[in-house]
């Protein structure tokens, strides 16, 4: 059924054990229930599953912004990370349902020493204040930002949220397929003068799996 087909898509996209990389012909896959899997998230997952990247994830605190159906977060938890999947309240029922499907398909997210939880979070100060994350003091080790920068109206809210979630040692992984306003986010990030941004080289460091203009970055706070 659709779950099995989706599982095959995810596992093919994330396989780093010498199997051929998948080739995606479009940005997303629409499932029979009307939800979407964004292929750039599978490109990032494939990158993070490589042993040299996966090792630091084990035992780390990871927050994913705009988790969608949670395939990336679930997979990182199975690598041993302690993952917080976040999204707006209206998206949480689909997210929780998808994570339950993945528990059945792949095994539980906590099967390898990791953990997984779902937390409501709308970006910006108002949304953060209403989230249970507002009561947590420890910064996250990693922040995952997959396909979040295509809505220009949300850029300032996303920037505020990144500032709030990042500590001196937090590493943000960002991936997106270029759309009309995507680079405006990075212009605003530059103007803040708070973050270093390192582009991950497509030719040398990651395989975009056929996606055109797929960009990946590491982002972290500048030393103060």
């Amino acid at each position: 059924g659709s779950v099995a087909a989706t599982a095959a898509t995810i596992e093919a996209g994330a396989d780093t054990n010498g199997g051929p990389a998948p080739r995606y012909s479009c940005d997303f896959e629409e499932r029979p229930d009307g939800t979407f899997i964004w292929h750039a998230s599978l490109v990032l997952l494939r990158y993070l599953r490589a042993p040299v990247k996966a090792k630091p994830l084990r035992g780390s605190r990871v927050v994913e912004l705009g988790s969608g159906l949670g395939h990336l977060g679930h997979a990182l938890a199975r690598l041993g990370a302690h993952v917080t999947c976040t999204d707006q309240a209206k998206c949480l029922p689909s997210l929780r349902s998808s994570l339950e499907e993945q528990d059945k398909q792949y095994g539980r997210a906590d099967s390898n020493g990791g953990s997984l939880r779902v937390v409501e979070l709308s970006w910006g100060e108002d949304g953060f204040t209403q989230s249970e994350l507002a009561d947590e003091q420890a910064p996250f080790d990693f922040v995952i930002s997959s396909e979040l920068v295509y809505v220009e109206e949300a850029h300032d809210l996303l920037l505020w949220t990144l500032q709030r979630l990042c500590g001196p040692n937090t590493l943000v992984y960002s991936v997106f397929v270029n759309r009309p306003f995507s680079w405006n986010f990075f212009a605003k990030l530059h103007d803040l003068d708070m973050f270093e941004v390192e582009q991950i080289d497509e030719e040398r460091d990651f395989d975009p799996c056929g996606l055109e203009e797929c960009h990946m970055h590491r982002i972290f706070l500048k030393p103060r």
Side-chain angles (χ1 to χ4, degrees), residues 4 22 63 67 86 109 113-114 129 171 174 181 190 200 220:
V63 60
S67 292
T86 70
T129 301
L171 182 60
S174 166
F181 300 106
H190 176 269
I200 300 172
F220 49 91

Side-chain angles (χ1 to χ4, degrees), residues 123 145-152 155 158 174-177 181-183 185-186:
W123 304 339
S145 167
S146 175
E147 289 283 38
L148 302 185
V149 297
Y150 60 91
V151 179
E152 189 175 29
H155 286 176
L158 179 56
S174 166
V175 67
F176 67 95
V177 171
F181 300 106
S182 300
W183 287 110
F185 173 80
F186 287 87

Side-chain angles (χ1 to χ4, degrees), residues 17-125:
N17 295 320
R23 311 321 287 175
Y24 301 124
S25 58
C26 60
D27 297 354
F28 59 85
E29 171 193 337
E30 184 173 4
R31 306 202 314 172
D33 62 1
T35 56
F36 294 87
I37 295 172
W38 295 89
H39 289 149
S41 69
L42 305 186
V43 171
L44 178 57
L45 175 56
R46 185 178 177 86
Y47 173 80
L48 292 176
R49 268 190 166 175
V52 69
K53 302 295 186 307
K55 187 175 180 180
L57 287 165
R58 186 170 181 82
S60 68
R61 298 182 75 238
V62 177
V63 60
E64 182 182 20
L65 300 177
S67 292
L69 296 177
H71 291 98
L72 182 51
H74 196 279
L76 296 181
R78 297 199 317 274
L79 289 175
H82 300 293
V83 179
T84 300
C85 287
T86 70
D87 218 317
Q88 301 174 74
K90 65 182 180 181
C91 301
L92 296 188
S94 294
L95 173 56
R96 289 194 171 101
S97 175
S98 175
L99 293 173
E100 289 174 5
E101 287 183 7
Q102 293 174 70
D103 275 348
K104 297 171 185 174
Q105 191 71 37
Y106 309 121
R108 289 179 54 86
D110 58 6
S111 60
N112 194 31
S115 63
L116 185 65
R117 63 172 177 162
V118 173
V119 173
E120 178 186 344
L121 178 64
S122 294
W123 304 339
E125 187 171 7

Side-chain angles (χ1 to χ4, degrees), residues 185-196:
F185 173 80
F186 287 87
K188 289 187 172 186
L189 194 65
H190 176 269
D191 290 345
L192 267 182
D193 198 30
M194 291 181 62
F195 290 92
E196 296 281 2

